Amino acid sequence: MSELLKISGLHASIDADGTPKEILRGVDLVIPPGEVHAIMGPNGCGKSTLSYVLAGREDYEVTAGSALFKGEDLLAMEPEERAAAGIFLAFQSPVELPGVNNANFLRTAVNAVRRARNAPELDAVGFLKAVRAATKNLSMADDMLKRNVNVGFSGGEKKRNEVLQMTMLQPTLAILDETDSGLDVDALRIVAEGVQNLRSPDFSALVITHHQKLLDYLGPDRVHVMAKGRIIRSGGPELAKQINEEGYAAFLKEAA
Amino acid sequence: MPAVTETREQVEKLGKSSYEWGFETDIEMDVAPKGLNEDIIRLISTRKEEPEWMLEWRLAAYRSWLKMKEPTWAKVTHPPIDYQDVHYYAAPKKKDGPKSLEEVDPELLRTYEKLGIPLHEQAMLAGVEVPEGEEARLPVAVDAVFDSVSVATTFRKTLSEAGVIFCPISEAIRDYPDLVKQYIGSVVPVADNFYAALNSAVFTDGSFVFVPKGVRCPMELSTYFRINAKNTGQFERTLIVVEDGASVSYLEGCTAPMRDENQLHAAVVELVAMEDSSIKYSTVQNWYPGDENGRGGIYNFVTKRGACRGARAKISWTQVETGSAITWKYPSCILQGEESVGEFYSVAVTNNHQQADTGTKMIHLGRNSRSTIIAKTISAGKSDSTYRGQVKIMPKASGARNFTQCDSLLIGDQCGAHTVPYIESRNMTARVEHEATTSKISEDQMFYCRQRGLSQEDAVGLIVNGFCKEVLKELPMEFAVEAQKLLQISLEGSVG
Ligand SMILES: Nc1ncnc2c1ncn2[C@@H]1O[C@H](COP(=O)(O)OP(=O)(O)O)[C@@H](O)[C@H]1O
Ligand SMILES: [Mg+2]
C-alpha cells in the first residue's frame, strides 16, 4: 500500500456562535508509510484544525471530502478507535487532568490500545520497565510519572510528556502539532530524537512546525505549505528552507 | 491501576442493567403485618426477646415520633410516604437465632457469597491471596444483617479474646444490657429528629461494638446490610463505644434488590469515643438507586453522630455514597474533649434521577478541638446533589480549628450541585476555613483521553477517581478498590 493516509477535498467547519465557520477548504494530502511530512503555514490557516479533524474531535463538522487511513474511512471512527488504529496526536496545548496520576493514565491508555490491537496487556512490572526506558531516553525526571497528567508541568515538560505517550503507544501515524514550539535547544534535540527513535517502515509522522530546526533533525520526505485551509504547495525539504528565508508572503501571493 | 481494568470488565459484564446487586433471595420469611402502632412495637420487642426497659424506651420514642413532622429543609422531593404501608419486621424464618454459621440457612450464605461478602471464616482465611510484595492483610470480621435480623457474625472468638465485643445489637441488649442502656440514645436522643425517633421505636437490628480500655481492635469490623423483603423498611441501629486509649476501624456496606416501589431505610448510628481513643467509620452505601427513569430505589434517611467525649479522642467518618434514590444523611461529630478531632471525608455520586442531600456537622465544644471536612460531590444525568455542612464553634472552644473543602464535579448539563455551608463561630480565637470549587469534565479532557485510546467510561472513571482521591485514600484498602469500581459503575451511561 503506497498510502497510509489519503485526504481528499476535505472541508470542515466549526460552529462559531451559531453560524458555521469554514476552516478547512479542500485539503488534499497523501502520506505513504514510513515517511515524515511537514506542514508549515501562517497562524490561523487551519493546521491544528486539520490535526483535530484527523483525530476525531467532535466540535468540527466535516462538510465534504474524505480521509482514508490504511484504506479505512477514518472519519467514521470514534477517537479511541482511531487511536487504536494507530493515530497519535501530540497536542499543541496538552490538556491537564487534575488528580489523575501520569503513570496510571499512561498504563491505562497503553493497555486500552494494546487490547484493541489484540496485543497482550502489560502488567505492572512490564509497564514500569518500558516506561522507565522511555523516560530515560527523553531525559525526563522520574517524578513526572508520579505527578498528575500535565498539571503544573512547564511548557517543555508537557511537550516531552506528549512524546513519552507517543513512544509508549506505538502509533503508525503521529501528528505532532507544534511540539517544538517553546523548547530550548536541548529539549528540541531530545524531542527530535524521540521521534527519530520511532522511525521505521511502519511509522509515519505529520509534523506541524514553524521552525527549520526540528526539520533539520528529522529530514522530512515532503514539506507542505498550508494557507487558508488548503495545501497550496508541496515539495522537498528545500521548501522549508525557502519559507524560513522568505516567509509565507510569496506563496500566498502565488496562491491568490 | 488494576482497578481501572477490573472496572472496565465489570462495566462490560454488567451490560445494560448496572445494578448488579439487584437480585432477590427466595427465602421463607416471618413478616409482621403492615403498619405502625404500639402493638407492632411490642411484637418487635417480643421477637427480639428484649427486656422491659427496652420496650419502654421504644414506646417513648414512638410517642414522640407521633408528634413530629418530616423535616422539609433538605433539597429533596418525594411523594408523601405512607408509614402505615410498610412492614416493620421481616426476618428469615428460624426458630431461634443461629448459634453458629452451620445453622444459618444456606440460601442466606449463598446470598452473601453472591454479594462478595464471605461469611465462612475458614473460606475467608483460605481465600486471602496475597499478591507478591504485599503484606498479608488481616481478615475482616463481618456482621451480616438481612432485612430485620443479623444472620451471622464472624470471628467472634478471636475478637472476644482481645476483649472486643462485636455482635448484633439485639443480642447486646440481652447479653450486655448495662452497656447498651448506658450509651444507647446518649448521642442521638430518641426524639432527635423524625427519622431518628422512628428508628428508635422500631429498629430491628444492627451492630454493637465495644472496645475496652487500651485495646486496639485486632481486625477491621464490618457490617453488611441487605434489604430483601418487599415493602419492608429497614431500621438498623449501630452503637460503637470505644474506651480510653482504644481504637477500632469499622465499615458498613449495603445493597438491596431492584424493585419498582421505593423502600424506606432509616438508620441510626451512634459513636462514643473516650479519651485518647479513635473510631474510624467507613461507609460504602450502595442501596438500589432506582432505574434510569427514577422508578424505585431506596429512601435513605440516616442519622449518624459521634461524640468525642474525652481529650484527644478522634472520630473519622468516611463515606462513599453511590446508591439510594434519596440520601439524607449528615454524619456528625460532637467534639467535647480538649484537642479532640473530627473528620468527614465524603464522596457522593448521583446519576439519573437520584437526589442526595448530605454533609456533616462539626460541633466544637472542647478547647483546641480540630475538624476537617473534605466533601466531593459528583452529579451526572438529571440528578441533584447538595452538600450541607455545619461548623459550630461554641464559646469554650478556644483555639478550635476547622478546614472545609467542598468540590463539585458536574458531568453533563442537566444535573445540579449545591453547596450550603453554615458557619457559626462564638469564640474569637477559633479559625474556620472554607474552600469550594465546581468543575466540569471538559470536552478537552474527554477528547484528550479518547485520543489516547481510552473509552469514554474509562476516561470518566479516571477523572472521577482522581477527583475523589483524597477521600478514597481514607478507606481501608480493599474497600477503596471496591469503591472505585462502584463509582464507575454508578456513572455508567452518564457520558456520550
Ligand atoms: N472554536 C473555534 N471557534 C471559532 N473559530 C475557531 C475555533 N477554533 C479555531 N478557530 C479558527 O479557525 C482558524 C484556524 O485555527 P487553527 O486550526 O488553530 O490554526 P493554526 O493551527 O493553523 O494556527 C483560526 O482562524 C481560528 O481562529
Ligand atoms: Mg495551531
Side-chain angles (χ1 to χ4, degrees):
Chain A
M1 190 175 33
S2 64
E3 295 150 358
L4 175 67
L5 176 70
K6 182 176 165 64
I7 306 172
S8 314
L10 188 64
H11 287 252
S13 41
I14 193 158
D15 180 275
D17 298 326
T19 46
K21 173 177 172 183
E22 184 164 71
I23 300 171
L24 300 184
R25 299 179 174 138
V27 175
D28 295 301
L29 183 67
V30 172
I31 303 180
E35 293 195 358
V36 169
H37 287 213
I39 290 190
M40 304 181 83
N43 290 330
C45 71
K47 304 182 296 297
S48 292
T49 301
L50 177 63
S51 70
Y52 285 146
V53 170
L54 292 177
R57 204 176 162 126
E58 276 153 2
D59 324 12
Y60 298 92
E61 198 195 343
V62 173
T63 51
S66 65
L68 298 181
F69 183 65
K70 299 176 182 172
E72 308 247 357
D73 181 1
L74 185 64
L75 303 177
M77 298 185 207
E78 297 293 331
E80 58 270 36
E81 293 170 340
R82 301 182 199 205
I87 299 233
F88 179 89
L89 170 61
F91 284 60
Q92 185 172 357
S93 313
V95 178
E96 298 184 0
L97 302 176
V100 181
N101 172 272
N102 207 20
N104 189 13
F105 176 70
L106 194 52
R107 182 168 170 221
T108 311
V110 165
N111 281 336
V113 161
R114 289 179 74 97
R115 261 196 317 274
R117 293 176 188 163
N118 293 318
E121 293 186 30
L122 291 184
D123 62 12
V125 177
F127 170 78
L128 219 61
K129 240 168 103 180
V131 80
R132 286 256 165 81
T135 45
K136 198 158 162 256
N137 271 337
L138 293 166
S139 307
M140 287 168 76
D142 272 352
D143 85 314
M144 297 260 300
L145 288 171
K146 295 189 193 124
R147 288 159 66 182
N148 293 332
V149 180
N150 294 322
V151 178
F153 285 23
S154 71
E157 284 172 336
K158 282 184 181 169
K159 296 298 174 79
R160 255 186 256 195
N161 200 37
E162 295 289 286
V163 177
L164 171 66
Q165 293 175 1
M166 175 176 78
T167 306
M168 296 293 295
L169 289 168
Q170 303 181 313
T172 33
L173 175 67
I175 305 165
L176 291 99
D177 190 357
E178 297 199 27
T179 304
D180 54 342
S181 292
L183 296 184
D184 62 39
V185 281
D186 294 328
L188 179 68
R189 183 178 43 79
I190 289 161
V191 163
E193 280 168 6
V195 180
Q196 287 300 82
N197 284 339
L198 297 177
R199 293 291 292 264
S200 85
D202 296 323
F203 175 79
S204 301
L206 181 60
V207 180
I208 298 169
T209 183
H210 288 301
H211 308 293
Q212 179 62 33
K213 194 80 191 150
L214 177 64
L215 299 180
D216 285 345
Y217 280 115
L218 300 181
D221 296 282
R222 301 283 289 167
V223 173
H224 309 276
V225 181
M226 191 169 185
K228 296 186 179 149
R230 308 179 54 183
I231 303 292
I232 55 164
R233 266 287 278 283
S234 297
E238 71 286 349
L239 205 52
K241 291 208 175 60
Q242 195 187 335
I243 290 169
N244 235 17
E245 283 155 19
E246 300 170 16
Y248 293 114
F251 296 94
L252 295 176
K253 216 176 282 164
E254 197 180 306
Chain B
M1 266 180 279
V4 176
T5 329
E6 277 170 37
T7 303
R8 186 191 43 75
E9 283 160 6
Q10 191 127 359
V11 171
E12 277 166 10
K13 200 173 70 209
L14 292 172
K16 276 254 162 305
S17 159
S18 53
Y19 195 76
E20 130 181 63
W21 308 266
F23 62 87
E24 194 177 334
T25 306
D26 192 11
I27 201 157
E28 243 193 299
M29 298 292 283
D30 171 17
V31 182
K34 277 184 181 176
L36 182 53
N37 51 54
E38 297 202 358
D39 286 343
I40 289 285
I41 292 168
R42 282 176 215 283
L43 178 139
I44 293 170
S45 193
T46 310
R47 282 284 196 282
K48 297 277 172 195
E49 299 164 37
E50 287 178 352
E52 187 61 25
W53 64 265
M54 197 68 239
L55 174 64
E56 289 309 322
W57 195 83
R58 288 176 179 276
L59 290 172
Y62 173 68
R63 286 165 200 148
S64 21
W65 178 75
L66 284 175
K67 291 183 232 131
M68 297 171 85
K69 285 201 164 57
E70 285 178 6
T72 52
W73 43 263
K75 200 176 176 313
V76 295
T77 54
H78 54 83
I81 297 168
D82 181 354
Y83 291 92
Q84 297 304 332
D85 194 32
V86 175
H87 295 286
Y88 287 86
Y89 184 79
K93 246 187 195 151
K94 186 91 189 50
K95 303 231 160 45
D96 305 299
K99 300 253 174 345
S100 71
L101 272 179
E102 282 64 48
E103 288 180 37
V104 176
D105 188 322
E107 188 61 31
L108 271 178
L109 289 180
R110 270 195 293 279
T111 300
Y112 284 91
E113 246 162 61
K114 228 161 137 183
L115 294 165
I117 319 291
L119 294 181
H120 284 289
E121 294 181 14
Q122 255 347 87
M124 281 168 76
L125 286 168
V128 183
E129 266 182 65
V130 183
E132 230 179 298
E134 273 179 45
E135 264 179 63
R137 276 178 232 129
L138 285 171
V140 179
V142 179
D143 183 19
V145 177
F146 192 82
D147 290 327
S148 304
V149 288
S150 171
V151 293
T153 311
T154 63
F155 289 104
R156 287 166 80 162
K157 195 162 159 281
T158 322
L159 289 168
S160 74
E161 277 162 15
V164 175
I165 302 172
F166 177 40
C167 67
I169 196 152
S170 52
E171 206 176 299
I173 291 167
R174 294 192 297 266
D175 296 352
Y176 311 100
D178 295 341
L179 277 179
V180 176
K181 211 169 175 175
Q182 184 180 351
Y183 292 107
I184 195 167
S186 73
V187 186
V188 179
V190 285
D192 185 80
N193 67 69
F194 182 85
Y195 302 114
L198 178 63
N199 173 286
S200 303
V202 302
F203 76 87
T204 38
D205 228 325
S207 298
F208 175 72
V209 177
F210 179 80
V211 188
K213 239 178 204 161
V215 172
R216 299 184 55 173
C217 185
M219 58 178 79
E220 300 269 351
L221 303 184
S222 168
T223 299
Y224 198 86
F225 296 102
R226 173 83 178 160
I227 298 181
N228 188 63
K230 232 175 167 156
N231 294 317
T232 308
Q234 181 149 330
F235 306 93
E236 81 265 0
R237 184 140 196 139
T238 294
L239 174 60
I240 300 179
V241 178
V242 173
E243 289 194 326
D244 294 359
S247 66
V248 70
S249 169
Y250 178 92
L251 183 119
E252 68 171 9
C254 26
T255 56
M258 292 194 223
R259 299 191 187 282
D260 287 347
E261 321 83 54
N262 296 107
Q263 278 178 288
L264 184 60
H265 171 252
V268 170
V269 174
E270 294 177 281
L271 310 183
V272 178
M274 307 307 279
E275 200 170 292
D276 289 308
S277 71
S278 86
I279 301 175
K280 184 173 174 59
Y281 193 104
S282 314
T283 305
V284 175
Q285 187 266 110
N286 186 30
W287 296 117
Y288 178 52
D291 68 10
E292 66 280 8
N293 299 314
R295 202 154 27 112
I298 302 290
Y299 290 166
N300 190 33
F301 303 124
V302 171
T303 305
K304 290 185 170 175
R305 194 175 301 152
C308 286
R309 297 222 170 124
R312 296 167 302 279
K314 176 176 174 182
I315 289 178
S316 182
W317 299 100
T318 304
Q319 58 172 23
V320 175
E321 303 279 316
T322 59
S324 298
I326 296 177
T327 298
W328 179 100
K329 176 179 171 188
Y330 316 89
S332 306
C333 297
I334 303 168
L335 303 168
Q336 293 162 262
E338 270 182 31
E339 290 173 46
S340 58
V341 176
E343 294 175 340
F344 176 72
Y345 299 98
S346 169
V347 172
V349 182
T350 52
N351 194 5
N352 299 317
H353 292 264
Q354 282 176 275
Q355 308 172 60
D357 192 302
T358 182
T360 185
K361 276 187 206 172
M362 293 290 174
I363 314 292
H364 291 256
L365 296 155
R367 276 199 305 126
N368 296 323
S369 50
R370 284 177 288 133
S371 61
T372 304
I373 300 171
I374 309 281
K376 306 277 180 176
T377 303
I378 301 160
S379 322
K382 298 191 164 93
S383 69
D384 207 32
S385 192
T386 300
Y387 166 80
R388 189 181 302 278
Q390 183 180 42
V391 176
K392 199 169 183 173
I393 314 267
M394 301 307 277
K396 293 211 174 106
S398 301
R401 299 265 177 283
N402 164 266
F403 174 74
T404 301
Q405 168 94 43
C406 301
D407 298 315
S408 311
L409 184 68
L410 303 171
I411 301 173
D413 47 19
Q414 290 179 287
C415 54
H418 320 273
T419 299
V420 189
Y422 305 89
I423 298 167
E424 185 186 334
S425 181
R426 293 164 60 186
N427 185 302
M428 294 280 287
T429 63
R431 203 167 71 210
V432 178
E433 285 175 79
H434 179 96
E435 289 174 14
T437 65
T438 300
S439 52
K440 272 187 102 148
I441 297 186
S442 73
E443 298 275 323
D444 280 342
Q445 290 172 326
M446 287 302 289
F447 178 60
Y448 189 71
C449 292
R450 296 177 76 190
Q451 206 310 295
R452 298 307 184 240
L454 302 183
S455 66
Q456 303 197 54
E457 268 81 16
D458 279 354
V460 169
L462 269 183
I463 294 170
V464 163
N465 280 323
F467 176 76
C468 302
K469 200 150 63 180
E470 293 155 274
V471 174
L472 296 179
K473 75 171 170 44
E474 295 296 328
L475 287 174
M477 207 218 302
E478 41 276 80
F479 300 114
V481 174
E482 195 58 32
Q484 286 196 352
K485 286 185 203 168
L486 262 183
L487 286 180
Q488 187 149 1
I489 291 166
S490 51
L491 288 169
E492 200 192 344
S494 63
V495 288

